[in-house]
Amino acid sequence: SQTIHQWPATLVQPVGSPLSLECTVEGTSNPNLYWYRQAAGRGLQLLFYSVGIGQISSEVPQNLSASRPQDRQFILSSKKLLLSDSGFYLCAWSVRRGGSGEQYFGPGTRLTVT
Amino acid sequence: AQSVAQPEDQVNVAEGNPLTVKCTYSVSGNPYLFWYVQYPNRGLQFLLKYITGDNLVKGSYGFEAEFNKSQTSFHLKKPSALVSDSALYFCAVRPPTSGTYKYIFGTGTRLKVLA
């Protein structure tokens, strides 16, 4: 069966510090991968998605970037965090071809920028 | 513009009573429709989906959803609510032209089941 991991689970970082959040998927190959941010326990904002290694699409211009160095690894980064980067970050995957498109989410990372 | 609406921020229901969480959408074509549940400080869990066929789809934990094409709705239902069903519920739509990404999510409905 497929599993998706995210770490760290929680993170407290000062303004201006760098960020690296990691997401890995097991039990599947060639997945689509997604990064979302959830603010205030409500709506989900799609930040980035990837359909393959090195292929990243950004949905919203911002202080963050994403990379996919391996097929099942997705990394969210920032060089200098802002207070507004605080939130709950969710990674998700879906089957690239042949599926009906449901996305499967990781457990999330709670980021607090102080 | 394409959109998904969950008109109720919160739904309260007594344990044992039936529950309904509403979702309507404005998307051209025949979208795929999904429901997810989120417990506090957790990721979203997939509950059920509608692709085609029978308008009543059954999912995890006794939930079901009814697709109504004429009303462009996809309401989540359960015949008998449990306290453990209390959580945040999201409706999501995948437009037919979106490939396998770019869901449109609703803003979520908080369900509280009262003992």
Side-chain angles (χ1 to χ4, degrees), chain A residues 2-9 19-28 31-36 47-50 53 56 65-77 89-94 103-109, chain B residues 43:
Chain A
Q2 301 88 3
T3 54
I4 177 169
H5 304 280
Q6 286 186 245
W7 63 90
L19 173 73
S20 180
L21 303 181
E22 189 164 342
C23 170
T24 58
V25 181
E26 295 177 355
T28 187
N32 286 337
L33 295 171
Y34 313 83
W35 278 113
Y36 290 88
L47 302 175
F48 301 95
Y49 62 89
S50 171
I53 295 173
I56 309 295
S65 62
S67 62
R68 185 171 176 173
Q70 300 180 45
D71 181 47
R72 290 170 288 177
Q73 184 184 30
F74 205 23
I75 297 172
L76 184 69
S77 303
Y89 288 83
L90 291 161
C91 181
W93 73 273
S94 70
Q103 296 182 12
Y104 297 95
F105 287 78
T109 295

Side-chain angles (χ1 to χ4, degrees), chain A residues 27-96:
Chain A
T28 187
S29 298
N30 305 314
N32 286 337
L33 295 171
Y34 313 83
W35 278 113
Y36 290 88
R37 178 167 58 203
Q38 185 178 28
R42 275 293 177 163
L44 292 161
Q45 180 185 34
L46 179 62
L47 302 175
F48 301 95
Y49 62 89
S50 171
V51 299
I53 295 173
Q55 301 179 62
I56 309 295
S57 296
S58 174
E59 284 295 293
V60 182
Q62 56 205 322
N63 186 40
L64 302 169
S65 62
S67 62
R68 185 171 176 173
Q70 300 180 45
D71 181 47
R72 290 170 288 177
Q73 184 184 30
F74 205 23
I75 297 172
L76 184 69
S77 303
S78 173
K79 292 182 179 178
K80 288 186 178 181
L81 283 168
L82 306 172
L83 285 174
S84 57
D85 292 323
S86 292
F88 193 49
Y89 288 83
L90 291 161
C91 181
W93 73 273
S94 70
V95 173
R96 185 180 303 176

Side-chain angles (χ1 to χ4, degrees), chain B residues 20 26 46 85 95 113:
Chain B
T20 298
S26 176
F46 169 71
D85 293 330
V113 181

